[in-house]
């Protein structure tokens, strides 16, 4: 029996197997152990009937306790359903029985644990939480995965009541972004189970999502005119796995040309996205909802399960095991429930208001590969190198439809994205300022081993950004990307209008071109500035325990970091008489300790006009 009181139980893993898994040592048994540990570790934090799961956290989401309890159940069910499905009936921890009891309690008429019904987002103002739309889709996704061992074995009355609850959410109109797929999946499951839906609209919603396709396997998360260029991990933890499940549930009823089109896009995504994982398993730190952690693996798993991935099965498993091990080795979910953070423990500055105690368990969709049986090539083929460690893979690759350059440093084991294409900002608007939004979209560069600065670092606007600064040291923020271009595999450029206090700064404009060479990036800035504003550029912020460094001589390079990582920013042109310094911070990243940013200040306070500033950025 799993202990239900006292100190959390440590994760117990089987011995490594370096013959079948020469890169990570992990086999299917390791994945099963992690899944069981996550799921059993939640049982002490559940309601008596199992319908609500509320792990400890220092805050609830904006949707409230009742919705958060449903969220904890539904999201942990993503991992449970994959574990149940792949085991093909072998269930020593009784996960199927445990979740079946929760489903029954959730739809008991007048029961104390009955799940809430989501509000209709078509009515303004929205009265009540809309969040159950998301959680209904997770329940539907999990039931589709584990149908034979769970849904088919539920009591008929429970199936009818649960079906009615799902059908209600399938009939609702969701927000005009990835949420359209939540109702679509719920409707598709209902249809596959013979459950009528009052207002079916999934076909149109899926085609609308398909219309947001940009290229290189990636979708924008909503219309460009309202969401800006919203490119982030939602492509892997919602858009691709949900589209994959949608076409799977529709089967022959989905038009053949649409299914073929999606398979091509899924294959392209697996190829481009797999470049964003470092050899040590760390994924790119970019975008919102990063507390979902291993959900980044859902897209690559889906491509492999569909049989369209350009990666060999052994390479997919190596990538996935590397990332799962990266988080597990750093304490995420190892000694207690997953927290609202990145590695171990909470880090609330990076968390959005919609996230609650159970939100991190969306990570469970990253266990999608466990739904494949033990004799699947994903589990029987030996591990093979992932793209970031293959010598025959170019160190630099362009994703022109995204406005990104992806660079892998084989010497330092870090993957960098030069970002000229994502901002999550409406055209003509300032970068998002809400909690957990601005830092993860508005920077010119993101990596697998650093985090942008939150809190005071974001307010100062130094890291990874060229700002105009006034006499009171107020710094401009990056406005929406006005346009971008990518040339070859190592050159990209974009322009934006700087904003100050939420308004565009008149007469100001910044055009930036990035050129990659070896482990360095040269940034060339063409700056139009009004009178009285000076130029300040910041390099990559790095977590460090080092003490504050003194300013360096005028014209010299600025650097930050310690023995783990060193961030360097050196002037090449247009910085005559510049001042180089290091800005120290406290815990402004989820990577722990303090942090530092190397900074260059242009000499004097210009009279306004146009100038060119060229610098080199390096991280190693």
């Amino acid at each position: 029996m799993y202990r239900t009181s006292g100190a959390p139980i440590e994760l117990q893993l089987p011995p490594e197997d370096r013959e079948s898994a020469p890169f990570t040592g992990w086999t299917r048994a390791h994945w099963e152990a992690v899944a069981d540990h996550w799921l059993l570790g939640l049982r002490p934090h559940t309601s008596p009937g199992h319908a609500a799961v509320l792990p400890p956290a220092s805050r609830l989401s904006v949707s409230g306790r009742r919705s958060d309890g449903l969220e904890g159940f539904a999201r942990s069910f993503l991992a449970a359903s994959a574990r149940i499905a792949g085991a093909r009936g072998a269930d020593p921890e009784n996960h199927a029985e445990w979740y079946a009891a929760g489903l029954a309690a959730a739809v008991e008429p007048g029961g104390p644990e009955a799940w809430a019904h989501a509000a209709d987002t078509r009515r303004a103002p929205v009265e009540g939480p809309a969040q159950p739309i998301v959680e209904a889709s997770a329940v539907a996704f999990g039931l589709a995965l584990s149908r034979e061992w769970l849904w088919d074995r539920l009591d008929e009355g429970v199936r009818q009541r649960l079906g009615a609850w799902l059908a209600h959410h399938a009939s609702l109109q969701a927000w005009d972004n990835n949420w359209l797929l939540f109702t679509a999946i719920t409707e598709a499951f209902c249809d596959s189970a013979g459950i009528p839906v009052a207002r079916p609209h999934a076909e149109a919603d899926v085609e609308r999502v398909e219309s947001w396709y940009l290229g290189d396997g990636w979708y924008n998360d909503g219309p460009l005119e309202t969401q800006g260029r919203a490119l982030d991990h939602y492509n892997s933890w919602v858009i691709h796995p949900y589209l994959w499940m949608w076409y799977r549930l529709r089967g022959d009823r989905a038009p053949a040309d649409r299914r073929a089109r999606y398979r091509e896009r899924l294959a392209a995504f697996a190829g481009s996205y797999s470049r964003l994982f470092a050899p040590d398993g760390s994924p790119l730190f970019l975008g919102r909802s990063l507390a979902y952690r291993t959900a980044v693996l859902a897209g690559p798993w889906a491509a492999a399960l569909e049989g369209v991935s350009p990666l060999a099965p052994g390479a997919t498993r190596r990538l996935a095991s590397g990332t799962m091990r990266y988080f597990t080795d750093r304490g995420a979910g190892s000694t207690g429930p997953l927290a609202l953070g990145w590695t171990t423990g909470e880090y609330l500055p990076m968390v959005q208001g919609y996230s609650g105690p159970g939100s991190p368990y969306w990570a469970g969709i990253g266990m999608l590969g466990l739904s494949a049986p033990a004799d699947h090539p994903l589990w029987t083929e030996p591990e093979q190198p992932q793209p970031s460690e293959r010598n025959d893979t170019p160190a630099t690759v362009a994703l022109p439809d995204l406005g990104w350059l992806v660079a892998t440093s084989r010497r330092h084991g870090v993957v960098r994205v030069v970002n000229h294409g994502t901002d999550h900002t409406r055209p003509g608007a300032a970068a998002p300022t809400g909690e957990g939004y601005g830092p993860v979209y508005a920077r010119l560069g993101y990596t697998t081993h650093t985090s942008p600065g939150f809190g005071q670092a974001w307010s100062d606007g130094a890291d990874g950004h060229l700002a105009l600064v006034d006499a009171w040291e107020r710094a401009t923020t990056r406005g929406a990307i006005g346009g971008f271009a990518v040339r070859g595999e190592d050159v990209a450029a974009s322009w934006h209008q700087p904003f100050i206090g939420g308004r565009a700064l008149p007469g100001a404009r910044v055009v930036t071109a990035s050129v990659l060479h070896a482990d360095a990036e040269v940034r060339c800035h063409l700056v139009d500035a009004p009178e009285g504003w000076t130029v300040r550029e910041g390099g990559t912020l790095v977590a460090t325990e080092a003490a504050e460094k003194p300013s360096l001589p005028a014209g010299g390079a600025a650097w930050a970091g310690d023995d783990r990582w060193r961030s360097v920013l050196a002037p090449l042109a247009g910085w005559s008489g510049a001042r180089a310094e290091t800005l120290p911070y406290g815990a402004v990243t989820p990577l722990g300790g303090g942090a530092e940013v190397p900074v260059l200040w242009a000499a004097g306070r210009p009279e306004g006009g146009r100038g060119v500033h060229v610098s080199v950025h390096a991280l190693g």
Side-chain angles (χ1 to χ4, degrees):
M1 293 292 292
Y2 192 76
R3 184 165 45 174
T4 58
S5 62
I9 293 177
E10 292 278 350
L11 171 64
Q12 300 295 319
L13 293 172
E16 292 185 0
D17 180 354
R18 290 288 171 174
E19 290 190 11
S20 65
F23 292 91
T24 69
W26 275 36
T27 64
R28 181 185 179 89
H30 291 79
W31 281 80
E32 291 174 339
V34 172
D36 289 343
H37 184 78
W38 283 10
L39 297 170
L40 295 172
L42 286 175
R43 292 188 184 181
H45 308 290
T46 62
S47 56
H50 308 171
V53 178
L54 200 68
S58 62
R59 56 159 244 199
L60 298 173
S61 78
V62 295
S63 297
R65 180 177 295 273
R66 188 182 183 193
S67 176
D68 287 355
L70 161 59
E71 179 183 67
F73 178 97
R75 298 189 177 202
S76 63
F77 185 49
L78 290 168
S81 61
R83 177 75 172 95
I84 293 166
R88 298 300 192 263
D91 189 9
E93 302 295 349
N94 296 317
H95 295 309
E97 179 182 343
W98 196 93
Y99 278 90
L103 292 169
V107 294
E108 180 184 351
E113 299 183 28
W115 285 342
H117 287 66
D120 194 332
T121 63
R122 289 172 295 191
R123 299 176 181 176
V126 177
E127 297 180 359
Q131 192 64 32
I133 292 175
V134 182
E135 315 319 330
S137 78
V139 172
F141 191 101
L143 289 172
L145 272 186
S146 60
R147 184 191 302 259
E148 180 180 347
W149 296 276
L150 214 161
W151 171 261
D152 290 349
R153 302 184 184 188
L154 290 175
D155 176 81
E156 179 61 27
V158 173
R159 277 205 304 268
Q160 290 181 2
R161 292 189 293 273
L162 180 57
W165 184 83
L166 290 169
H168 164 78
H169 292 88
S171 70
L172 300 178
Q173 185 64 52
W175 307 117
D176 198 25
N177 55 15
N178 69 84
W179 275 49
L180 294 181
L181 294 176
F182 296 144
T183 53
I185 283 296
T186 308
E187 181 183 316
F189 176 76
C190 287
D191 184 62
S192 72
I195 302 166
V197 174
R199 295 183 296 274
H201 48 79
E203 289 278 358
D205 287 349
V206 167
E207 193 58 21
R208 179 160 177 77
V209 173
E210 292 281 18
S211 74
W212 299 332
Y213 184 72
L214 296 177
D216 298 310
W218 290 69
Y219 294 80
N220 206 61
D221 190 7
L224 289 167
E225 59 270 21
T226 60
Q227 301 296 324
R229 295 186 58 82
L231 295 162
D232 52 32
H233 289 298
Y234 270 87
N235 269 269
S236 192
W237 53 52
V238 173
I239 294 175
H240 273 292
Y242 268 50
L243 285 173
W244 168 76
M245 179 60 80
W246 157 262
Y247 286 108
R248 177 180 171 181
L249 286 170
R250 297 299 292 164
D252 293 339
R253 289 169 293 177
D257 59 335
R258 288 175 57 179
R259 184 180 181 88
R261 177 188 64 184
Y262 174 65
R263 285 167 55 87
E264 291 177 359
R265 292 174 175 181
L266 178 59
F269 178 74
S272 64
Y273 190 65
S274 62
R275 296 295 305 262
L276 306 183
F277 294 80
D280 70 352
S282 53
L284 186 70
F285 196 102
L286 174 146
R288 62 193 178 98
S289 301
L290 290 172
Y292 298 171
R293 298 178 178 90
T294 55
V296 295
L297 302 173
W301 281 130
L305 292 170
E306 186 64 18
V308 299
S309 178
L311 276 65
T316 296
R317 188 175 90 250
R318 181 269 173 273
L319 184 152
S321 292
T323 296
M324 182 62 78
R325 180 163 189 171
Y326 171 83
F327 285 108
T328 300
D329 286 352
R330 286 158 180 79
S334 298
T335 58
L338 291 169
L340 287 165
W342 182 241
T343 51
T344 186
E346 286 188 340
Y347 189 77
L348 295 182
M350 63 171 266
V351 178
Q352 295 72 38
Y354 54 74
S355 291
S359 293
Y361 282 88
W362 197 269
I365 202 170
M367 292 188 173
L368 185 59
L370 269 181
S371 66
D375 59 358
H376 192 283
L378 281 168
W379 300 111
T380 60
E381 288 193 8
E383 286 184 344
Q384 297 182 34
Q386 66 185 43
S388 63
E389 57 198 356
R390 290 180 53 170
N391 292 328
D392 60 348
T393 301
T396 301
V397 64
L399 301 179
D401 295 308
L402 278 61
W404 286 359
L405 303 176
V406 182
T408 301
S409 171
R410 295 194 172 91
R411 181 168 58 149
H412 301 296
V414 62
V415 175
R416 295 176 293 136
V417 164
V418 179
N419 173 35
H420 288 277
T422 187
D423 54 14
H424 211 310
T425 302
R426 288 184 298 103
T433 57
E435 57 176 338
Y437 279 88
V440 291
Y441 290 104
R443 294 302 179 229
L444 278 169
Y446 293 93
T447 86
T448 53
H449 285 74
T450 64
S451 156
F454 296 88
Q456 187 60 48
W458 167 245
S459 299
D460 289 348
D463 73 285
H465 177 58
L466 183 136
L468 301 179
V469 183
D470 67 8
W472 296 273
E473 295 196 354
R474 296 179 304 169
T476 59
T477 59
R478 185 183 184 187
I481 296 170
F484 70 91
V486 176
R487 296 292 181 267
E489 299 296 327
D490 53 9
V491 179
S494 62
W495 71 269
H496 73 274
Q497 184 170 15
F499 275 65
I500 187 75
R503 296 184 178 182
L505 180 63
R509 173 180 158 120
V510 176
V511 181
T512 300
S514 297
V515 181
L516 292 178
H517 178 71
D519 289 342
E521 174 195 350
V522 176
R523 289 185 188 169
C524 311
H525 305 281
L526 176 65
V527 181
D528 291 317
E531 183 178 358
W533 294 76
T534 193
V535 173
R536 183 195 67 191
E537 182 171 19
T540 301
L541 180 143
V542 289
T544 176
E545 300 294 342
E548 180 179 353
K549 297 177 178 62
S551 296
L552 300 176
W559 63 274
D562 54 21
D563 293 340
R564 296 174 298 171
W565 292 100
R566 181 70 55 86
S567 176
V568 178
L569 174 61
L572 294 183
W575 295 99
S576 178
R579 184 174 88 250
E581 67 177 8
T582 301
L583 298 182
Y585 292 100
V588 295
T589 87
L591 302 180
E596 294 177 345
V597 182
V599 171
L600 292 176
W601 288 86
R605 196 162 299 281
E607 298 178 355
R610 174 167 292 181
V612 175
H613 302 269
V614 184
S615 57
V616 60
H617 296 245
L619 177 69

